[in-house]
């Protein structure tokens, strides 16, 4: 995936011809298939499509048609923002980039993750409530239900915690020697004391630390609030999404006929 992303970015940087880029519209997208379950009983198929975001305007503009076609097929749009780049300039770009998404899918199908929240400086940066208020204002979210779809997260904490929990062994010495235990200790215990605390930690304590780090990452709250909600409302949401898409397409067709 990293190599594919680098090749497409290089292609766009070299100002490739529109004919070459147009082949992306006709070619099947590469796929990675995995088997995992969010709940104990699998209820369907989850397809994740990654597109260039607002922070990559050059790539986004060149692949606009392909991105729009994917958005029209999506039941849920997940917008990832960078906490460290939230400012007035980014807000203008955000509004312009997200407006087509809102027109196609509607606001109720848009979820927002503000990543890198762990880099907040409590002395000068926006707190959690202010970040949610800022993002909601830029996206035009006016209702409480809309704001409940905005989450602060730390992907780094989530990665370290989940990696350790997957590799966990119930043996103190072997558990401390896991590469993921070192990453977890650096994140949870701090740069000054992680080595000392890791050397004295038991497997049970490291497991508790990983659980706490996962909770602090914010991803648990997102999954509980967003994915569980979608699972409960999948049928009406799918129907409403289809109706919204038909409405948007009919409106576009009507405009084209007037022209």
């Amino acid at each position: 995936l990293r190599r594919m992303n680098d090749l497409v970015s290089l292609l766009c940087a070299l100002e490739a011809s529109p004919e070459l880029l147009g082949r992306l519209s006709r070619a099947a997208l590469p796929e990675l298939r995995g088997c995992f379950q969010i709940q104990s009983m699998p209820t369907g198929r989850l397809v994740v499509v990654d597109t260039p975001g607002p922070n990559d305007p050059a790539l986004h503009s060149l692949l606009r048609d392909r991105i729009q076609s994917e958005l029209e097929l999506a039941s849920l749009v997940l917008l990832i923002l960078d906490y460290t780049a939230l400012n007035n300039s980014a807000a203008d770009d955000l509004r312009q980039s997200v407006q087509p998404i809102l027109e196609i899918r509607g606001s109720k199908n848009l979820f927002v993750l503000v990543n890198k929240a762990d880099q907040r400086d409590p002395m000068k940066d926006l707190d959690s409530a202010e970040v949610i208020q800022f993002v909601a204002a830029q996206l035009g979210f006016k209702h409480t239900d809309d704001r409940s779809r905005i989450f602060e997260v730390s992907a780094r904490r989530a990665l370290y915690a989940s990696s350790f929990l997957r590799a966990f062994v119930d043996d103190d010495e072997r558990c401390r020697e896991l590469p993921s235990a070192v990453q977890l200790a650096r994140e949870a215990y701090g740069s000054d004391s992680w080595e000392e605390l890791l050397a004295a930690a038991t497997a049970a304590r490291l497991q508790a630390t990983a659980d706490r780090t996962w909770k602090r990452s914010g991803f648990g709250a997102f999954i509980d609030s967003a994915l569980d909600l979608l699972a409960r409302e999948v049928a009406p949401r799918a129907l409403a999404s289809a109706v919204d898409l038909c409405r948007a397409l009919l409106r576009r067709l009507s405009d084209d006929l007037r022209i």
Side-chain angles (χ1 to χ4, degrees), residues 182 185-186 189-201:
V182 175
R186 285 179 181 271
Y189 300 147
S191 58
D192 296 332
S193 56
W194 73 267
E195 291 178 290
E196 179 182 349
L197 292 173
L198 176 59

Side-chain angles (χ1 to χ4, degrees), residues 176-191:
R176 287 192 295 265
E177 293 175 352
L178 292 172
S180 55
V182 175
Q183 294 176 324
L184 175 66
R186 285 179 181 271
E187 174 64 30
Y189 300 147
S191 58

Side-chain angles (χ1 to χ4, degrees), residues 54-218:
N55 62 332
D56 197 350
L59 194 57
H60 193 280
S61 62
L62 286 170
L63 302 178
R64 180 180 289 110
D65 292 342
R66 186 59 195 255
I67 293 172
Q68 181 165 323
S69 66
E70 294 297 330
L71 289 176
E72 290 177 354
L73 296 173
S75 299
L76 169 67
V77 176
L78 184 61
L79 178 66
I80 312 295
L81 303 180
D82 186 342
Y83 174 85
T84 63
L86 289 182
N87 51 46
N88 292 331
S89 176
D92 294 337
D93 294 338
L94 176 62
R95 278 194 296 269
Q96 295 177 9
S97 301
V98 174
Q99 190 58 39
I101 298 176
L102 297 177
E103 291 176 356
I104 295 174
R105 305 311 307 165
S107 63
K108 63 180 177 296
N109 292 312
L110 177 65
F111 284 75
V112 183
L113 296 185
V114 183
N115 192 28
K116 301 184 181 179
D118 55 297
Q119 298 187 29
R120 170 183 285 115
D121 184 343
M123 299 300 295
K124 62 180 181 180
D125 291 343
L126 300 175
D127 61 24
S128 181
E130 290 171 334
V131 167
I132 292 176
Q133 182 178 359
F134 176 84
V135 174
Q138 305 313 317
L139 297 180
F141 285 3
K142 299 179 181 179
H143 304 293
T144 304
D145 289 345
D146 291 335
R147 297 192 178 196
S148 66
R149 297 194 300 276
I150 303 174
F151 301 86
E152 276 194 342
V153 298
S154 168
R156 182 175 62 181
R157 288 174 179 166
L159 175 62
Y160 292 164
S162 60
S163 296
F164 173 81
L165 291 172
R166 281 198 301 268
F168 175 78
V169 288
D170 194 10
D171 178 273
D172 293 348
E173 184 174 354
R174 291 172 57 202
C175 192
R176 287 192 295 265
E177 293 175 352
L178 292 172
S180 55
V182 175
Q183 294 176 324
L184 175 66
R186 285 179 181 271
E187 174 64 30
Y189 300 147
S191 58
D192 296 332
S193 56
W194 73 267
E195 291 178 290
E196 179 182 349
L197 292 173
L198 176 59
T202 63
R205 180 177 179 182
L206 286 172
Q207 186 177 37
T209 299
D211 290 336
R212 185 167 58 252
T213 302
W214 170 258
K215 184 176 181 180
R216 291 176 61 207
S217 75

